[in-house]
Amino acid sequence: PFPGVAGGGGGGGERTRADLEAIYSGDLTPSAALTSLSYGLMTRLPSLEVNERIALEALLSVLTSDIASCEKLLRTPIPLGYTRYSVRFLWIWLTLLPFALTNTFVNFGVGTWWEDKPKPVLVLAMLFIGFIFLSIEDIAVQIEEPFAILPLEQHQRWLL
């Protein structure tokens, strides 16, 4: 079923056949894909000159290095204590913020038409500030593990 691969109508190593089977079965790893790509370049493009092959292998080497960097990002965990501490600090800060802003908004509206009316300015300011900061915190949690929210499996299937 795999031309040019051991057991598939041509020469080649068993490791490459296993890599190709992993790719076609959906268990794609970056290492398997790059091995198969490199093998395919060398066996299916015999008309390439030596300099062209060296240039392609150099590009694959750069790609391998970049994939290793992405794997390192994916595998490096963010300490759970850091995330918990930042959320707790944010909630304490948002809880204490109205006390700090009360003095700022106490004279708000003096000398205007709504001087004797209820002043929802502090509540509105707190809702706005809380929404902004909690949204930033949610984005930070998503940035901690970007590969979990990106539709990479769809892109992988499309590329194959």
Side-chain angles (χ1 to χ4, degrees), residues 110-122:
V110 173
T112 64
W113 62 272
W114 68 338
E115 184 173 4
D116 57 340
K117 296 181 178 53
K119 297 173 187 76
V121 178
L122 180 60

Side-chain angles (χ1 to χ4, degrees), residues 3-148:
V5 180
E14 286 299 318
R15 175 161 193 238
T16 304
R17 178 176 176 73
D19 290 340
L20 285 175
E21 287 176 351
I23 289 171
Y24 288 115
S25 71
D27 298 331
L28 180 66
T29 62
S31 173
L34 288 174
T35 300
S36 298
L37 185 61
S38 177
Y39 179 77
L41 285 173
M42 296 309 137
T43 58
R44 295 193 180 116
L45 298 175
S47 62
L48 291 178
E49 294 181 14
V50 175
N51 290 339
E52 293 172 330
R53 287 184 184 201
I54 291 172
L56 285 173
E57 283 296 328
L59 290 173
L60 285 175
S61 176
V62 169
L63 183 61
T64 303
S65 175
D66 292 343
I67 287 176
S69 297
C70 289
E71 287 286 328
K72 186 177 178 183
L73 284 174
L74 178 64
R75 305 285 183 237
T76 303
I78 302 294
L80 186 59
Y82 173 78
T83 305
R84 287 182 181 169
Y85 173 77
S86 62
V87 170
R88 287 177 187 155
F89 174 78
L90 181 61
W91 279 108
I92 290 171
W93 187 78
L94 287 173
T95 303
L96 297 176
L97 188 60
F99 299 111
L101 292 180
T102 302
N103 194 27
T104 303
F105 289 111
V106 76
N107 293 326
F108 189 81
V110 173
T112 64
W113 62 272
W114 68 338
E115 184 173 4
D116 57 340
K117 296 181 178 53
K119 297 173 187 76
V121 178
L122 180 60
V123 174
L124 293 175
M126 285 305 306
L127 287 174
F128 178 74
I129 292 171
F131 176 76
I132 296 296
F133 276 90
L134 291 174
S135 297
I136 291 172
E137 193 275 330
D138 185 48
I139 291 169
V141 168
Q142 291 179 7
I143 288 174
E144 286 177 1
E145 191 158 341
F147 300 109

Side-chain angles (χ1 to χ4, degrees), residues 26 28 147-160:
L28 180 66
F147 300 109
I149 60 171
L150 297 174
L152 295 178
E153 290 181 11
Q154 294 172 357
H155 292 289
Q156 172 189 340
R157 282 189 225 109
W158 179 77
L159 289 173
L160 293 177

